Amino acid sequence: MPAQAFSLALAGSIYPPAFAAVIALARGRDVRPRIVLMVTAAMLTVLVTGVALLLLFNELGLTGSHRPTPGAIVDIAIGVALLLLAWWLGRPRRRSPHAGEGASSRSERYLHSRPLVFALGFVLYVLPSPIYLAAIKSIADSGSSSAHEMLYLVLVVVLMLWMIELPMLMLLAFPERATAVLVGLNSWFERHGRQLARALAAAAGVYLLVSGLAKLPG
């Protein structure tokens, strides 16, 4: 797998809201089937989106191996989008003093419905992040065969979703102990997840911007 795709997939995998959703699903009855359902929906969503993006990049020739200038412009555009995202994540948040009151109990009721749990996995990942776009483009840029591109895509999807895949495996194996550990990790992400996501978005944005500028013809 291209090293750039690997690095971007790891950077794009930091997604605290999805991690928090797994924690919410760990409460109540039928924990295992609901968590498997959500993770399955997320994997299918990310995979189908990735296939569509890969076909789009290849069909439009927006890859470095076919048309360097348009491919470089796409890299620059994604880099700028990531820098804007990092700026937005750095803005101070305003939180209503009543935010969350009653929402938690409503969310828990919703998460007991299997169709809604499946929908949650879809909604969380249906909109591809700029980092995911960059990871898919790096696969397209590799000039690999279609079979290898699909293999790389599957690996990227697995890496992108480790924040829900690993908790799922933990909860399937030892739910009670895993819940305590995951709740503690979720508390850490609530305090530091936004700063971590900002740093990763900024780093990926600078890398793609510089890389795209370097690919432009002199």
Side-chain angles (χ1 to χ4, degrees), residues 1-11 138 156 159:
M1 183 168 68
Q4 182 174 325
F6 179 85
S7 302
L8 289 168
L10 286 179
S138 69
V156 163
L159 288 171

Side-chain angles (χ1 to χ4, degrees), residues 18 74 91 109 154 202:
V74 172
R91 297 176 62 194
R109 288 200 301 271
V154 170

Side-chain angles (χ1 to χ4, degrees), residues 78-184:
I78 296 175
V80 171
L82 284 169
L83 291 175
L84 290 173
L85 176 61
W87 170 80
W88 181 79
L89 290 171
R91 297 176 62 194
R93 288 182 296 172
R94 293 182 179 180
R95 186 176 178 84
S96 169
H98 302 291
E101 291 183 8
S104 177
S105 59
R106 287 196 300 272
S107 298
E108 289 185 6
R109 288 200 301 271
Y110 295 155
L111 292 177
H112 284 289
S113 167
R114 294 190 183 186
L116 289 177
V117 166
F118 188 88
L120 175 65
F122 170 78
V123 170
L124 282 171
Y125 288 96
V126 66
L127 186 63
S129 70
I131 294 182
Y132 186 53
L133 287 172
I136 299 303
K137 185 176 180 298
S138 69
I139 293 176
D141 285 344
S142 69
S144 304
S145 65
S146 298
H148 280 96
E149 284 186 344
M150 288 304 301
L151 175 61
Y152 298 153
L153 175 60
V154 170
L155 292 175
V156 163
V157 170
V158 172
L159 288 171
M160 282 283 297
L161 298 180
W162 74 265
M163 282 195 73
I164 60 175
E165 293 164 344
L166 184 57
M168 177 190 71
L169 295 175
M170 293 171 64
L171 288 165
L172 290 177
F174 38 93
E176 292 184 3
R177 284 184 293 167
T179 299
V181 172
L182 294 173
V183 167

Side-chain angles (χ1 to χ4, degrees), residues 14-16 19 162-163 184-196:
I14 306 302
Y15 192 18
F19 190 81
W162 74 265
M163 282 195 73
L185 288 173
N186 190 48
S187 298
W188 186 91
F189 275 116
E190 286 178 351
R191 296 191 302 271
H192 306 290
R194 193 177 181 90
Q195 294 91 329
L196 178 59

Side-chain angles (χ1 to χ4, degrees), residues 18-94:
F19 190 81
V22 174
I23 305 301
L25 286 170
R27 303 185 182 98
R29 298 170 297 174
D30 299 326
V31 170
R32 290 183 174 92
R34 287 186 292 122
I35 288 178
V36 170
L37 195 61
M38 193 204 85
V39 173
T40 300
M43 293 186 76
L44 289 173
T45 301
V46 177
L47 182 61
V48 170
T49 303
V51 170
L53 289 170
L54 198 56
L55 289 173
L56 182 66
F57 285 134
N58 284 324
E59 289 299 320
L60 295 180
L62 299 177
T63 64
S65 58
H66 293 99
R67 299 170 67 188
T69 299
I73 291 173
V74 172
D75 284 343
I76 292 170
I78 296 175
V80 171
L82 284 169
L83 291 175
L84 290 173
L85 176 61
W87 170 80
W88 181 79
L89 290 171
R91 297 176 62 194
R93 288 182 296 172
R94 293 182 179 180

